[in-house]
Amino acid sequence: MSRQEEPPGSDLEDENFGSPRTFDPDFKGPVADRSCTDVLCCIIFILFIIGYILLGLMAWVHGDPRRVAYPTDSNGHFCGQKGTPNENKTILFYFNLFSCTSPSLLVNLQCPTTQICVSKCPEKFLTYMEMYFMYRTRENYWSYYSQFCKAASAKPVKAFTQLLLDDDCPTAIFPSRPFLQRCFPDFSTKNGLLTIGNKTTFNDGSGKTRNVVELRAAANGVNKILDARAIGMKVFEDYATTWYWILIGLTIAMLLSWMFVILLRVTAGFLFWVFILGVIGILAYGIWHCYQEYSKLQGKPNSHLSIYNIGIQTDISMYFQLKQTWFTFMIILAILEVIVIVMLIFLRDRIRVSIALLKEGSKAIGYIPSTLIYPVLTFIFLSICISYWAVTAVYLATSGTPIYKVIAPEGQCEHENKTCDPEIFNTTEIAKACPGAHCNFAFYGGKSLYHQYITTFQIVNLFIFLWLINFVIALGQCTLAGAFASYYWALKKPDDIPPHPLFTAFGRAIRYHTGSLAFGSLILATIQMVRLVLQYLDNRLKDAQSNISRFLQCCLKCCFWCLEHVVKFLNRHAYVMIAIYGQNFCRSARDAFNLLMRNVLKVAVMDRVTEFVLTLGKILVAGCIGILAFLLFTERIPMIVEGPTSLNYYWVPLLTVIIGSYLIAHGFFSVYAMCIDTIFICFCEDLERNDGSAEKPYFIAPTLHGILNKKQLVPQKQKE
């Protein structure tokens, strides 16, 4: 007898492993009498969590987040910290910003120049020599200039040469503005020329005439942050104005998602066409709007410029003044419209299968409505993991004591970058060998074993974070699978469904299968860690790579991306088998893989098409809320409701609402996806266990059985 002719209730030989697979004739649903699986991995997982907690405590003891909140002067003192002499001096001032020409020195905003805490930034040009001569007629020059010196005195007592050696005052000051509690040049544009204080050239105080472009180059990396600050402030203002409208939009998205889930139970076919027509309509509206904006820009000056011509701009609204931008959006939306229509035409038969699965999934969710609340629990767990990782990373990054390095203004000292002690530096041989050198604060660190392994601890922190994130997702998938499997294997629905199936499935997953879930998430976390390492190396070595190395690295990243998605797919179905049979991860993954391979055509029909339908639902929810938000934030419907006015960037709250609505819809529809996956796995098991006879009846609804299994409507034993 061939494999296809073998009675479904008999032992099926596993072609891949060669061992017979025996079915329990008394199987009536998820196994209740089960034991702990993958105990070793469970123990390792628990030990890692304990170690993670200890790492967090150790980082908390040694770290100091104030080092992130407050800038640090050359003596290692915080600017603006309460209870210190610098309490009213909240801003960091650089003596010589021209020393900050190396981008690597700006990583921690530390330049090889003296830095002091000041109460305000300079507002005008003034050199030490100019102040020294003007002081004779007007004493207020010194009172102003002395704010930017290390120690204030009644009058300037040092000659210029001595000043350079002692580095007590800057040689010159120029108009600046505070950002991130640091003084940076206050650049402006006048008649197309870059200026500072209405000047294009100025004296740097050492007898050299400097161009403002040189100063811009010295502060180039930081100046990009200055531009970002303006955007950040405007974005913050927009959020402050529209936050309640955003909450209303997200609430409507939640209600709309819930309504769709309820309607799917009774009108899955009708609602599917609502999804289709809704998405097509939203895309059509987007195409029409882009065309209208494109037409409005016809003939306007500079609208013909390309995105390449204007380059990278921090003012995003500039891109919306170009015809090319709206034309590009219109083409993209048109392509998406064509793809949806073409897929609808070619998948019309398979969509019927998807609709039947959606109806069955709706029934399951209707009988177990608590499953719709579970994504909230997953969100809480993920938030805890993300918060703990972020806090631990900050405390690790700020661990250590102030480290001081020898700084030579001219960079011509053999002792430069050596560790020093500022208290005794002036009495050491280094100060004598390198006149003008200083002992300035560089960074936080230490020589203890803990400080030597800070980088290693950060890597461990990231890896365990990935492991925990994947474990939380795995726990949710296994819990939902256990609840929906209880529904499927109930012969008389809903009478035979056990009480509190979701709570029972969650308890089983935690009590018996923590090790198996940790095993699967460990594999996935390892792959993700490798991907992050490859991305890090690509970013670090981008300029030093040859074409061949770039190609190989691109291939590696592509392979690991594919591997990650394959493992996610297999893990997902392995967790379903764990929820049903209570076996270890490897056995469950093997059984799930073999089961899917024996039903590969059904998998191709079910998985992709159902995902397509659910994705349309998510797009419809996000699109409906997005259109309403667009009309509101652009003041297109003032006669219906008066929305916020005077927004800097209407697209900021708009994108927030659209992305938030999509994530909310994803949370609801992900329950559907897990439900359909579980029902499909159970259906395939049902076909192999039973033959539809009175002794071995099918557990699936007859209508769904006829759609999914057209060629096996007659029991297999009757074909012999």
Side-chain angles (χ1 to χ4, degrees):
M1 183 168 18
S2 65
R3 181 177 181 84
Q4 288 77 9
E5 299 172 341
E6 195 167 356
S10 64
D11 293 350
L12 292 178
E13 184 175 332
D14 194 316
E15 295 177 352
N16 293 329
F17 293 89
S19 58
R21 183 178 172 209
T22 305
F23 289 132
D24 179 8
D26 299 325
F27 179 81
K28 297 298 181 184
V31 176
D33 185 16
R34 55 180 74 194
S35 59
C36 296
T37 56
D38 295 303
V39 177
L40 178 60
C41 194
C42 179
I43 294 173
I44 295 174
F45 182 62
I46 293 174
L47 291 176
F48 264 81
I49 292 178
I50 295 173
Y52 197 30
I53 295 173
L54 294 176
L55 176 62
L57 292 174
M58 190 164 52
W60 180 76
V61 170
H62 291 87
D64 189 352
R66 293 178 303 174
R67 296 165 185 170
V68 177
Y70 300 105
T72 309
D73 65 13
S74 295
N75 295 321
H77 300 147
F78 296 128
C79 298
Q81 184 182 356
K82 293 183 179 180
T84 67
N86 290 332
E87 181 176 357
N88 297 321
K89 298 179 179 180
T90 60
I91 309 171
L92 189 69
F93 173 73
Y94 299 90
F95 271 24
N96 183 12
L97 200 59
F98 288 103
S99 301
C100 308
T101 53
S102 174
S104 62
L105 295 174
L106 288 172
V107 173
N108 295 314
L109 297 180
Q110 295 291 343
C111 298
T113 184
T114 300
Q115 302 157 40
I116 63 171
C117 299
V118 296
S119 57
K120 65 178 182 179
C121 295
E123 299 170 348
K124 58 185 177 181
F125 283 107
L126 192 62
T127 67
Y128 184 84
M129 294 299 294
E130 290 172 345
M131 179 279 305
Y132 193 84
F133 290 113
M134 292 178 182
Y135 166 74
R136 298 174 181 176
T137 57
R138 299 181 63 180
E139 295 185 358
N140 63 329
Y141 274 91
W142 169 245
S143 61
Y144 180 79
Y145 200 91
S146 62
Q147 300 176 83
F148 311 106
C149 296
K150 286 183 179 179
S153 60
K155 59 181 180 178
V157 295
K158 293 188 178 181
F160 184 70
T161 54
Q162 188 62 37
L163 176 79
L164 291 177
L165 290 175
D166 296 342
D167 203 26
D168 286 338
C169 293
T171 57
I173 57 175
F174 41 79
S176 305
R177 57 177 173 173
F179 173 56
L180 293 177
Q181 295 179 273
R182 292 164 173 85
C183 291
F184 292 126
D186 188 9
F187 294 108
S188 60
T189 304
K190 186 177 182 180
N191 298 327
L193 295 176
L194 184 67
T195 64
I196 179 170
N198 294 325
K199 292 184 178 182
T200 56
T201 59
F202 56 92
N203 191 332
D204 67 355
S206 61
K208 296 180 181 178
T209 300
R210 296 278 192 171
N211 191 301
V212 69
V213 177
E214 296 180 61
L215 184 61
R216 178 61 182 259
N220 186 48
V222 182
N223 198 63
K224 292 179 181 178
I225 306 176
L226 286 172
D227 294 333
R229 173 181 179 264
I231 295 180
M233 291 300 296
K234 292 180 180 179
V235 168
F236 179 79
E237 292 172 0
D238 290 342
Y239 277 130
T241 305
T242 61
W243 66 270
Y244 53 93
W245 289 109
I246 293 174
L247 289 180
I248 292 173
L250 297 180
T251 303
I252 295 175
M254 182 183 68
L255 296 176
L256 189 61
S257 301
W258 212 318
M259 184 185 71
F260 280 158
V261 168
I262 295 173
L263 290 177
L264 275 172
R265 184 180 181 185
V266 291
T267 59
F270 171 76
L271 205 59
F272 166 75
W273 290 109
V274 171
F275 286 173
I276 289 290
L277 296 177
V279 170
I280 291 176
I282 289 172
L283 292 174
Y285 174 80
I287 294 171
W288 175 82
H289 178 73
C290 291
Y291 177 76
Q292 291 293 320
E293 295 293 332
Y294 178 82
S295 300
K296 288 179 183 178
L297 293 174
Q298 291 283 4
K300 287 191 175 182
N302 299 326
S303 64
H304 64 282
L305 296 175
S306 66
I307 296 175
Y308 176 80
N309 293 138
I310 67 172
I312 299 176
Q313 299 292 329
T314 54
D315 186 1
I316 307 297
S317 61
M318 292 185 63
Y319 295 108
F320 296 116
Q321 299 172 13
L322 303 178
K323 292 193 298 182
Q324 186 186 65
T325 301
W326 293 107
F327 183 76
T328 303
F329 285 160
M330 184 171 62
I331 294 298
I332 293 173
L333 292 176
I335 292 173
L336 291 175
E337 184 91 324
V338 171
I339 290 174
V340 171
I341 294 174
V342 169
M343 290 186 69
L344 183 63
I345 294 172
F346 285 96
L347 298 177
R348 59 186 183 278
D349 293 331
R350 296 183 177 184
I351 286 172
R352 181 168 165 261
V353 178
S354 178
I355 292 174
L357 284 169
L358 287 173
K359 288 181 178 179
E360 191 67 20
S362 299
K363 292 179 183 178
I365 294 175
Y367 288 132
I368 316 175
S370 56
T371 53
L372 292 176
I373 304 175
Y374 191 85
V376 177
L377 184 62
T378 299
F379 174 78
I380 293 173
F381 286 158
L382 291 177
S383 299
I384 293 172
C385 293
I386 293 171
S387 301
Y388 188 86
W389 165 76
V391 171
T392 302
V394 169
Y395 272 90
L396 284 173
T398 57
S399 295
T401 56
I403 300 297
Y404 301 87
K405 296 283 188 178
V406 176
I407 301 297
E410 301 299 327
Q412 298 177 352
C413 178
E414 60 179 349
H415 302 288
E416 189 173 15
N417 290 327
K418 286 187 178 180
T419 305
C420 58
D421 184 351
E423 299 294 334
I424 60 172
F425 178 74
N426 291 331
T427 62
T428 62
E429 294 297 326
I430 298 178
K432 298 176 182 178
C434 302
H438 304 283
C439 184
N440 288 352
F441 167 79
F443 55 86
Y444 292 99
K447 296 182 179 179
S448 67
L449 188 64
Y450 167 79
H451 295 105
Q452 292 175 6
Y453 287 93
I454 290 292
T455 304
T456 304
F457 290 149
Q458 287 282 22
I459 295 174
V460 171
N461 180 34
L462 177 60
F463 178 76
I464 301 180
F465 165 71
L466 294 174
W467 194 357
L468 288 175
I469 289 292
N470 287 295
F471 177 82
V472 169
I473 295 173
L475 177 61
Q477 292 174 344
C478 189
T479 299
L480 292 173
F484 292 128
S486 299
Y487 160 83
Y488 183 93
W489 295 107
L491 190 58
K492 296 180 181 179
K493 303 175 178 64
D495 298 335
D496 291 344
I497 298 177
H500 312 297
L502 183 68
F503 178 79
T504 303
F506 181 80
R508 280 199 304 258
I510 289 291
R511 180 179 179 183
Y512 297 110
H513 307 304
T514 296
S516 297
L517 301 180
F519 191 7
S521 51
L522 173 63
I523 296 173
L524 195 54
T526 304
I527 296 172
Q528 291 170 342
M529 193 68 186
V530 173
R531 287 192 63 200
L532 288 175
V533 171
L534 289 174
Q535 187 62 47
Y536 173 78
L537 293 176
D538 184 38
N539 293 335
R540 294 284 292 181
L541 305 175
K542 185 175 295 184
D543 297 332
Q545 289 178 335
S546 63
N547 292 332
I548 296 177
S549 62
R550 287 197 193 97
F551 173 75
L552 293 176
Q553 195 163 43
C554 183
C555 290
L556 279 175
K557 292 198 294 186
C558 180
C559 289
F560 275 97
W561 180 88
C562 294
L563 180 61
E564 179 183 352
H565 283 73
V566 169
V567 170
K568 281 183 178 179
F569 178 80
L570 292 177
N571 280 8
R572 185 183 181 92
H573 292 88
Y575 299 146
V576 176
M577 300 298 281
I578 290 173
I580 297 174
Y581 296 110
Q583 297 170 338
N584 62 51
F585 176 79
C586 292
R587 176 68 183 273
S588 299
R590 187 196 68 177
D591 290 345
F593 177 78
N594 292 330
L595 183 65
L596 294 173
M597 289 300 101
R598 291 195 295 270
N599 299 272
V600 64
L601 294 179
K602 296 185 183 70
V603 173
V605 171
M606 184 278 302
D607 193 60
R608 294 299 97 191
V609 178
T610 305
E611 182 180 346
F612 171 67
V613 173
L614 293 178
T615 301
L616 289 180
K618 300 173 193 176
I619 294 175
L620 180 60
V621 172
C624 290
I625 303 301
I627 289 177
L628 291 176
F630 172 76
L631 296 175
L632 179 68
F633 295 142
T634 56
E635 302 178 69
R636 305 289 178 95
I637 49 175
M639 69 293 296
I640 301 176
V641 59
E642 185 176 353
T645 58
S646 304
L647 291 178
N648 297 296
Y649 307 114
Y650 73 84
W651 50 267
V652 171
L654 177 62
L655 287 179
T656 303
V657 170
I658 292 175
I659 295 173
S661 300
Y662 184 86
L663 293 176
I664 289 173
H666 176 74
F668 280 93
F669 286 110
S670 64
V671 176
Y672 249 101
M674 198 66 214
C675 178
I676 292 172
D677 281 349
T678 304
I679 289 175
F680 180 75
I681 289 289
C682 292
F683 167 71
C684 295
E685 285 284 287
D686 196 6
L687 287 183
E688 296 187 353
R689 285 179 171 278
N690 305 302
D691 54 16
S693 63
E695 296 80 12
K696 294 183 177 181
Y698 289 126
F699 285 77
I700 196 171
T703 53
L704 187 58
H705 177 276
I707 294 175
L708 286 176
N709 200 51
K710 290 181 179 180
K711 297 182 180 180
Q712 298 187 35
L713 287 175
V714 180
Q716 292 184 13
K717 67 177 184 180
Q718 297 178 11
K719 292 183 180 181
E720 295 180 0

